[in-house]
């Protein structure tokens, strides 16, 4: 069983479009995250979210918005896609709120290509 | 934010131990030291974490210096499947909660 699953695995779209990436975890974790890995392979946290609080990295454009229909899902919506949004996006989850003393479990990523 | 420093790359031979160093001189007293690795075309994978004492699990061992300003991830017997980028991470502190990844060490395993 896949612990953290993301769909789609690949997403190719044009500039200006709106797209979503879905994430589901079956670990019963309280907190979920979205990370972005750019072409230079740097992994940057975008959001962390539990059922009480959304914490946003201040560098993330407001075109990006996480939506959580329930504790097991955290989807990423991106409006007005730009070329610079091309990257691999990883979803993750952890048992405790911060991941400080609780391992992060990552999905296998969604490679987004904006043309 | 607490920062870590790792060598860009290291090379080792298959079936030999590997010691991956990490410096974190600005670590605070409550920061756990986390290690993750990322295999090609996969998401990061948790390896080990610890606070003060040395830690062991089925994947690796973590040796933490007494002053906590450095640590070493030890792979006891490297295999080709251990070739990956290894990240030593401290909690990111302010801003978005969670862990902030640096550049990591690209570990190359020679057969």
């Amino acid at each position: 069983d896949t612990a953290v699953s993301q769909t789609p695995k690949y997403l190719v779209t044009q500039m200006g479009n709106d797209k979503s990436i879905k994430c589901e975890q079956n670990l019963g974790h309280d907190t979920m995250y979205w990370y972005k890995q750019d072409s230079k392979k740097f992994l940057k946290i975008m959001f962390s979210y539990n059922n009480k609080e959304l914490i946003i990295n201040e560098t993330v454009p407001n075109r990006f918005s996480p939506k959580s229909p329930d504790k097991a899902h955290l989807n990423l919506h991106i409006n007005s896609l730009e070329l610079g949004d091309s990257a691999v996006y990883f979803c993750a989850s952890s048992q405790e709120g911060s991941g400080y003393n609780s391992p992060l479990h990552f999905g296998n990523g969604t490679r987004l290509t904006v043309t | 934010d607490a920062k870590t420093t790792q060598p860009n790359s290291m090379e080792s031979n298959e079936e030999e131990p590997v010691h991956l160093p990490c410096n974190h001189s600005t670590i605070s007293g409550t920061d756990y030291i986390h290690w993750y690795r990322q295999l090609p075309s996969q998401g990061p994978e948790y390896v080990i974490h610890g606070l003060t004492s040395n830690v062991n699990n089925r994947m690796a061992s973590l040796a933490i210096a007494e002053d906590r300003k450095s640590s070493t991830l030890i792979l006891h017997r490297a295999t080709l499947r251990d070739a990956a980028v290894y990240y030593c991470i401290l909690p990111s502190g302010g801003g978005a909660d969670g862990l902030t990844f640096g550049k990591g060490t690209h570990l190359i395993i020679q057969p």
Side-chain angles (χ1 to χ4, degrees):
Chain A
D1 285 346
T2 302
V4 180
S5 59
Q6 300 178 225
T7 55
K9 186 172 182 178
Y10 300 98
L11 181 56
V12 181
T13 188
Q14 293 183 327
M15 287 175 55
N17 285 347
D18 303 337
K19 290 294 179 185
S20 295
I21 305 171
K22 295 185 177 181
C23 178
E24 176 182 4
Q25 55 97 3
N26 62 6
L27 298 167
H29 286 168
D30 291 327
T31 304
M32 297 183 72
Y33 310 81
W34 277 103
Y35 280 79
K36 176 182 179 181
Q37 187 166 41
D38 59 24
S39 57
K40 294 184 178 179
K41 304 297 184 183
F42 288 116
L43 261 167
K44 298 180 181 177
I45 189 166
M46 301 175 70
F47 306 100
S48 68
Y49 182 82
N50 62 25
N51 58 3
K52 299 176 184 176
E53 189 177 17
L54 170 67
I55 303 176
I56 302 171
N57 186 317
E58 60 188 11
T59 66
V60 175
N62 57 15
R63 298 181 294 104
F64 291 79
S65 57
K67 298 278 195 303
S68 180
D70 56 58
K71 196 173 94 164
H73 297 83
L74 184 66
N75 303 324
L76 182 64
H77 296 268
I78 315 170
N79 296 325
S80 302
L81 277 155
E82 300 177 359
L83 292 176
D85 297 333
S86 296
V88 181
Y89 292 84
F90 290 98
C91 178
S93 71
S94 67
Q95 179 59 46
E96 296 176 8
S98 68
Y100 288 16
N101 188 22
S102 179
L104 289 172
H105 295 256
F106 284 83
N108 280 327
T110 295
R111 181 175 295 277
L112 171 65
T113 303
V114 182
T115 62
Chain B
D1 290 359
K3 303 293 185 189
T4 62
T5 304
Q6 300 177 252
N8 288 334
S9 65
M10 290 184 64
E11 202 166 310
S12 183
N13 294 322
E14 197 176 9
E15 299 187 3
E16 290 185 356
V18 180
H19 291 236
L20 296 164
C22 180
N23 288 320
H24 29 77
S25 59
T26 60
I27 191 171
S28 73
T30 57
D31 283 343
Y32 279 79
I33 302 157
H34 296 252
W35 283 83
Y36 285 75
R37 71 180 185 181
Q38 187 173 21
L39 279 65
S41 301
Q42 293 190 24
E45 175 187 27
Y46 166 78
V47 178
I48 200 166
H49 76 295
L51 184 62
T52 55
S53 304
N54 294 344
V55 185
N56 300 293
N57 65 22
R58 63 175 181 81
M59 289 183 70
S61 295
L62 177 59
I64 302 172
E66 195 169 335
D67 63 5
R68 300 207 333 119
K69 294 186 176 180
S70 66
S71 61
T72 302
L73 179 71
I74 303 166
L75 307 179
H76 295 285
R77 196 162 169 266
T79 69
L80 295 177
R81 293 177 60 184
D82 291 320
V85 178
Y86 286 79
Y87 298 96
C88 168
I89 308 164
L90 302 182
S92 57
D97 209 358
L99 299 175
T100 298
F101 287 67
K103 293 183 181 180
T105 296
H106 183 200
L107 177 63
I108 300 165
I109 304 296
Q110 297 289 355

